Coordinates of all heavy atoms in Angstrom, one line a residue:
Y1 N -6.8 -72.7 4.9 CA -7.1 -74.1 4.3 C -6.6 -74.0 2.9 O -7.2 -73.3 2.1 CB -8.6 -74.3 4.5 CG -9.1 -75.7 3.9 CD1 -9.6 -76.6 4.8 CD2 -9.1 -75.9 2.6 CE1 -10.1 -77.8 4.4 CE2 -9.6 -77.1 2.1 CZ -10.1 -78.1 3.0 OH -10.7 -79.3 2.6
V2 N -5.5 -74.7 2.6 CA -4.9 -74.5 1.2 C -4.7 -75.9 0.6 O -4.1 -76.8 1.2 CB -3.5 -73.8 1.4 CG1 -2.8 -73.6 0.0 CG2 -3.7 -72.4 2.1
G3 N -5.1 -75.9 -0.7 CA -4.9 -77.1 -1.5 C -3.4 -77.4 -1.7 O -2.7 -76.5 -2.1
A4 N -2.9 -78.6 -1.3 CA -1.5 -78.9 -1.4 C -1.2 -79.8 -2.5 O -0.1 -79.8 -3.2 CB -1.0 -79.5 -0.1
A5 N -2.1 -80.8 -2.8 CA -2.0 -81.7 -3.9 C -3.4 -82.3 -4.1 O -4.3 -82.0 -3.3 CB -1.0 -82.8 -3.6
R6 N -3.6 -83.1 -5.1 CA -4.9 -83.6 -5.4 C -5.3 -84.5 -4.2 O -4.7 -85.4 -3.8 CB -4.9 -84.5 -6.6 CG -6.2 -84.9 -7.1 CD -7.1 -83.7 -7.6 NE -6.5 -83.0 -8.7 CZ -7.0 -81.9 -9.2 NH1 -8.1 -81.3 -8.7 NH2 -6.4 -81.3 -10.2
G7 N -6.4 -84.1 -3.5 CA -6.9 -84.8 -2.3 C -6.2 -84.5 -1.1 O -6.5 -85.1 0.0
K8 N -5.2 -83.5 -1.1 CA -4.4 -83.2 0.1 C -4.6 -81.7 0.4 O -4.6 -80.9 -0.5 CB -2.9 -83.5 -0.1 CG -2.7 -85.0 -0.4 CD -3.0 -85.9 0.8 CE -2.6 -87.3 0.6 NZ -2.8 -88.2 1.7
V9 N -4.5 -81.4 1.7 CA -4.7 -80.0 2.2 C -3.7 -79.7 3.2 O -3.4 -80.6 4.1 CB -6.2 -79.8 2.7 CG1 -6.3 -78.5 3.4 CG2 -7.2 -80.0 1.7
S10 N -3.2 -78.5 3.2 CA -2.4 -78.0 4.3 C -3.1 -76.9 5.1 O -3.9 -76.1 4.5 CB -1.1 -77.4 3.8 OG -0.3 -78.4 3.2
L11 N -2.9 -76.9 6.4 CA -3.6 -76.0 7.3 C -2.6 -75.0 7.9 O -1.5 -75.4 8.3 CB -4.4 -76.7 8.4 CG -5.4 -77.8 7.9 CD1 -6.1 -78.5 9.1 CD2 -6.5 -77.1 7.1
Y12 N -3.1 -73.8 8.0 CA -2.2 -72.7 8.5 C -2.8 -72.1 9.8 O -4.0 -71.9 9.9 CB -2.0 -71.6 7.5 CG -1.1 -72.1 6.3 CD1 -1.5 -73.0 5.4 CD2 0.2 -71.5 6.2 CE1 -0.7 -73.4 4.3 CE2 1.0 -71.9 5.2 CZ 0.6 -72.8 4.2 OH 1.4 -73.2 3.2
R13 N -1.9 -71.7 10.7 CA -2.3 -70.8 11.8 C -1.5 -69.5 11.5 O -0.3 -69.5 11.6 CB -1.9 -71.4 13.1 CG -2.2 -70.4 14.3 CD -1.6 -70.9 15.6 NE -2.4 -72.1 16.1 CZ -1.8 -73.3 16.3 NH1 -0.6 -73.5 15.9 NH2 -2.5 -74.3 16.8
G14 N -2.2 -68.5 11.1 CA -1.5 -67.3 10.6 C -0.7 -67.6 9.4 O -1.2 -68.2 8.4
K15 N 0.6 -67.3 9.4 CA 1.4 -67.5 8.3 C 2.2 -68.9 8.4 O 2.9 -69.3 7.5 CB 2.5 -66.4 8.1 CG 1.9 -65.0 7.9 CD 2.9 -63.9 7.9 CE 2.3 -62.6 7.7 NZ 3.3 -61.5 7.7
Q16 N 2.0 -69.5 9.5 CA 2.7 -70.8 9.8 C 1.9 -72.0 9.4 O 0.7 -72.2 9.8 CB 3.1 -70.9 11.2 CG 3.8 -72.1 11.6 CD 4.1 -72.2 13.1 OE1 3.7 -71.4 13.9 NE2 4.9 -73.2 13.5
C17 N 2.5 -72.9 8.6 CA 1.8 -74.1 8.2 C 1.9 -75.1 9.4 O 3.0 -75.4 9.9 CB 2.5 -74.7 7.0 SG 1.7 -76.3 6.4
V18 N 0.8 -75.6 9.9 CA 0.8 -76.4 11.1 C 0.4 -77.9 10.8 O 0.7 -78.8 11.6 CB -0.1 -75.8 12.2 CG1 0.5 -74.5 12.7 CG2 -1.5 -75.7 11.7
E19 N -0.2 -78.1 9.7 CA -0.6 -79.5 9.2 C -0.3 -79.5 7.7 O -0.9 -78.7 7.0 CB -2.0 -79.8 9.5 CG -2.4 -79.7 11.0 CD -2.2 -81.1 11.7 OE1 -1.8 -82.0 11.0 OE2 -2.4 -81.1 12.9
M20 N 0.5 -80.5 7.3 CA 0.8 -80.6 5.9 C 0.2 -81.8 5.3 O 0.3 -82.9 5.9 CB 2.3 -80.6 5.6 CG 3.0 -79.3 6.0 SD 4.8 -79.3 5.6 CE 4.7 -79.4 3.8
N21 N -0.3 -81.7 4.1 CA -0.8 -82.8 3.2 C -1.7 -83.8 4.0 O -1.5 -85.0 3.9 CB 0.5 -83.6 2.7 CG 1.3 -82.7 1.8 OD1 0.8 -81.9 1.0 ND2 2.7 -82.8 2.0
I22 N -2.6 -83.3 4.7 CA -3.6 -84.2 5.3 C -4.7 -84.5 4.4 O -5.0 -83.7 3.4 CB -4.1 -83.6 6.7 CG1 -4.9 -82.3 6.4 CG2 -3.0 -83.3 7.6 CD1 -5.6 -81.7 7.6
P23 N -5.4 -85.6 4.5 CA -6.5 -86.0 3.6 C -7.6 -84.9 3.6 O -8.0 -84.4 4.6 CB -7.0 -87.3 4.1 CG -5.8 -87.9 4.9 CD -5.1 -86.7 5.5
E24 N -8.1 -84.6 2.4 CA -9.1 -83.6 2.2 C -10.3 -83.9 3.1 O -10.9 -83.0 3.7 CB -9.5 -83.5 0.8 CG -10.5 -82.4 0.5 CD -10.9 -82.4 -1.0 OE1 -10.2 -82.9 -1.8 OE2 -12.0 -81.9 -1.3
E25 N -10.7 -85.2 3.2 CA -11.9 -85.5 3.9 C -11.8 -85.3 5.4 O -12.8 -85.2 6.2 CB -12.3 -87.0 3.7 CG -11.3 -88.0 4.0 CD -10.3 -88.3 2.9 OE1 -10.3 -87.5 1.9 OE2 -9.7 -89.4 2.9
E26 N -10.6 -85.1 5.9 CA -10.3 -84.9 7.3 C -10.0 -83.4 7.6 O -10.0 -83.0 8.8 CB -9.1 -85.7 7.8 CG -9.3 -87.2 7.7 CD -8.0 -88.0 8.0 OE1 -7.1 -87.3 8.6 OE2 -8.0 -89.2 7.8
A27 N -9.8 -82.6 6.6 CA -9.2 -81.3 6.8 C -10.2 -80.3 7.5 O -9.7 -79.5 8.4 CB -8.9 -80.7 5.4
V28 N -11.4 -80.3 7.2 CA -12.3 -79.3 7.9 C -12.4 -79.6 9.3 O -12.4 -78.7 10.2 CB -13.7 -79.3 7.2 CG1 -14.7 -78.5 8.0 CG2 -13.7 -78.9 5.7
E29 N -12.6 -80.9 9.7 CA -12.7 -81.3 11.1 C -11.4 -80.9 11.8 O -11.4 -80.4 13.0 CB -13.0 -82.7 11.2 CG -13.1 -83.2 12.7 CD -13.5 -84.7 12.8 OE1 -13.7 -85.3 11.7 OE2 -13.5 -85.2 13.9
R30 N -10.2 -81.1 11.2 CA -9.0 -80.8 11.8 C -8.8 -79.3 12.0 O -8.2 -78.8 13.0 CB -7.8 -81.4 11.0 CG -6.4 -81.2 11.6 CD -6.3 -81.8 13.0 NE -5.1 -81.4 13.7 CZ -5.0 -80.9 14.9 NH1 -6.2 -80.8 15.6 NH2 -3.9 -80.6 15.5
L31 N -9.2 -78.5 11.0 CA -9.2 -77.1 11.1 C -10.0 -76.6 12.3 O -9.5 -75.8 13.1 CB -9.7 -76.4 9.8 CG -9.9 -74.9 9.8 CD1 -8.5 -74.2 9.9 CD2 -10.6 -74.4 8.6
L32 N -11.2 -77.1 12.5 CA -12.0 -76.7 13.6 C -11.3 -77.1 14.9 O -11.3 -76.3 15.9 CB -13.4 -77.4 13.5 CG -14.4 -76.9 14.6 CD1 -14.6 -75.4 14.5 CD2 -15.7 -77.7 14.4
E33 N -10.6 -78.3 15.0 CA -9.9 -78.7 16.2 C -8.8 -77.7 16.5 O -8.6 -77.4 17.7 CB -9.4 -80.1 16.0 CG -10.4 -81.2 16.0 CD -9.9 -82.6 15.7 OE1 -8.6 -82.6 15.4 OE2 -10.6 -83.6 15.7
I34 N -8.1 -77.3 15.5 CA -7.0 -76.3 15.8 C -7.6 -75.0 16.3 O -7.0 -74.4 17.3 CB -6.2 -76.1 14.5 CG1 -5.5 -77.3 14.0 CG2 -5.2 -74.9 14.6 CD1 -4.9 -77.2 12.7
I35 N -8.7 -74.5 15.7 CA -9.3 -73.3 16.2 C -9.7 -73.5 17.7 O -9.5 -72.6 18.5 CB -10.5 -72.9 15.3 CG1 -10.0 -72.5 13.9 CG2 -11.2 -71.7 15.9 CD1 -11.0 -72.3 12.9
E36 N -10.3 -74.6 18.0 CA -10.8 -74.8 19.3 C -9.7 -74.9 20.3 O -9.7 -74.4 21.5 CB -11.7 -76.1 19.4 CG -13.0 -75.9 18.7 CD -13.8 -77.2 18.7 OE1 -13.2 -78.3 19.0 OE2 -15.0 -77.2 18.4
E37 N -8.6 -75.5 19.9 CA -7.4 -75.6 20.7 C -6.8 -74.2 21.1 O -6.2 -74.0 22.1 CB -6.3 -76.4 20.0 CG -6.6 -77.9 19.9 CD -5.6 -78.6 19.0 OE1 -4.7 -77.9 18.5 OE2 -5.8 -79.8 18.7
D38 N -7.1 -73.2 20.2 CA -6.6 -71.9 20.4 C -7.6 -71.0 21.1 O -7.4 -69.8 21.2 CB -6.2 -71.2 19.0 CG -5.1 -71.9 18.4 OD1 -4.3 -72.6 19.1 OD2 -4.9 -71.7 17.1
G39 N -8.7 -71.5 21.5 CA -9.8 -70.8 22.1 C -9.3 -69.9 23.2 O -8.5 -70.2 24.1
G40 N -9.8 -68.6 23.2 CA -9.3 -67.6 24.3 C -8.3 -66.7 23.8 O -8.0 -65.7 24.4
F41 N -7.6 -67.0 22.6 CA -6.6 -66.1 22.1 C -7.4 -65.0 21.4 O -8.6 -65.0 21.2 CB -5.7 -66.8 21.1 CG -4.7 -67.7 21.8 CD1 -4.0 -68.7 21.0 CD2 -4.6 -67.7 23.1 CE1 -3.2 -69.6 21.6 CE2 -3.7 -68.6 23.7 CZ -3.0 -69.5 23.0

């Protein structure tokens, strides 16, 4: 979970950026969704 700009966040899976410049207020929920999508790995 990396700050990209004021109020914007980029999300990473490992070293790969998978979501760029998403609104900060949505970032935690979206991070959890990505983790859940990867369940079982």
Side-chain angles (χ1 to χ4, degrees):
Y1 180 113
V2 180
R6 191 65 60 185
K8 300 291 183 179
V9 172
S10 293
L11 301 178
Y12 286 72
R13 179 187 288 113
K15 298 176 183 178
Q16 181 182 3
C17 182
V18 293
E19 299 273 356
M20 292 185 65
N21 298 319
I22 63 174
E24 181 183 339
E25 58 271 19
E26 301 174 10
V28 172
E29 183 178 351
R30 181 60 189 132
L31 173 65
L32 187 58
E33 289 174 355
I34 293 171
I35 295 172
E36 289 178 346
E37 290 167 4
D38 292 343
F41 291 167

